Amino acid sequence: MTSARLQAVAAISVLALAGAGAMIFVYAPTDALQGDVQRIFYFHVAAAIAAYAAFAVVLGGGLLYLWRESLIADRAARAAAEVGLLMTTVCLVMGMLWAKPIWGAFWTWDARLTSTLVLWMIYAGYLLVRRVAAPGRQAARLAAVVGIVGFVDVPIVHFSVTWWRTQHPGPIVVNDALPPEMLATFLFTLMCTLAFAAVLIGIRYRIETVLDARLHATEPAPIIPTAGEPKAVP
């Protein structure tokens, strides 16, 4: 995808997110129990699902790199890890803002919140490994292992509200607990958030491509002895 086309897609995704925000505040009805603060739900849950999707890309990229040492897969995993961490941060912050008026506290150490925080720490560690380790095959392999093992926490986060008793509400979308207007608003917000996350991954991928090209350009070229030239004796 060319830069101009990527910019156009990015602009469309931002406009779609703005449209989702308009639906949240204009079309979706006010919750009878929680009031307007419940409107955080739409982006809160959408950001969580977008994070799952981004970390799935990290998982796939890590597996493909360990199997074929594909630089494209490694680059995609790097880009997706940053976007996934961003979406997890949005999810956590919005959840805290929602929790304060409902639970009376920004944070409680229940299973859903704790496992989500662990997920954030795992992929923050993934990015830290990429920065601390020397660029190259070793860093890519080590990061791939972290990304693959770390994905185990994704189903733990998702099913935590059904596996354990928590303060966090259980699944409401799959249980048809939303009125039609709320469900339509949530699905539209989810599609817009996923599209926005995909665009961010695409932008980060292009940046990683440029960084890789610069890195390879600065690497010294190997010295190949010409015919008849004696090789250096160690």
Side-chain angles (χ1 to χ4, degrees), residues 29-219:
T30 303
D31 186 78
L33 296 177
Q34 300 183 24
D36 285 329
V37 71
Q38 183 270 344
R39 299 183 192 278
I40 294 176
F41 153 81
Y42 300 100
F43 277 124
H44 171 66
V45 178
I49 296 175
Y52 295 164
F55 294 145
V57 174
V58 179
L59 171 67
L63 289 171
L64 191 56
Y65 182 80
L66 292 180
W67 178 37
R68 303 291 297 271
E69 292 200 356
S70 168
L71 296 180
I72 295 176
D74 178 58
R75 210 174 290 143
R78 272 182 280 164
E82 294 188 11
V83 176
L85 189 64
L86 171 64
M87 291 297 167
T88 307
T89 304
V90 171
C91 176
L92 284 171
V93 172
M94 287 192 166
M96 292 169 65
L97 294 176
W98 189 5
K100 178 61 176 176
I102 302 303
W103 296 344
F106 286 109
W107 187 268
T108 60
W109 292 97
D110 77 340
R112 170 60 66 85
L113 275 68
T114 303
S115 57
T116 304
L117 179 61
V118 170
L119 187 69
W120 187 94
M121 295 172 66
I122 289 172
Y123 285 96
Y126 174 96
L127 294 177
L128 183 62
V129 167
R130 304 304 306 238
R131 289 189 174 273
V132 173
R137 184 171 179 268
Q138 182 179 0
R141 291 178 65 85
L142 181 59
V145 172
V146 174
I148 293 168
V149 175
F151 192 80
V152 173
D153 193 38
V154 170
I156 294 176
V157 172
H158 185 72
F159 293 107
S160 58
V161 292
T162 57
W163 290 347
W164 299 286
R165 295 182 61 183
T166 70
Q167 283 188 280
H168 202 280
I172 59 175
V173 177
V174 296
N175 294 337
D176 294 330
L178 291 177
E181 296 85 352
M182 287 186 173
L183 180 60
T185 301
F186 169 71
L187 293 177
F188 182 73
T189 303
L190 176 60
M191 289 188 295
C192 293
T193 305
L194 288 173
F196 182 67
V199 169
L200 290 180
I201 292 174
I203 293 172
R204 284 302 311 170
Y205 181 87
R206 290 180 67 89
I207 294 173
E208 294 295 337
T209 302
V210 173
L211 293 177
D212 284 349
R214 290 179 179 177
L215 176 64
H216 294 315
T218 57
E219 290 179 350

Side-chain angles (χ1 to χ4, degrees), residues 6-19 192-193 195-197 199-200:
L6 185 59
Q7 290 175 2
V9 173
I12 293 172
S13 67
V14 171
L15 291 175
L17 277 179
C192 293
T193 305
F196 182 67
V199 169
L200 290 180

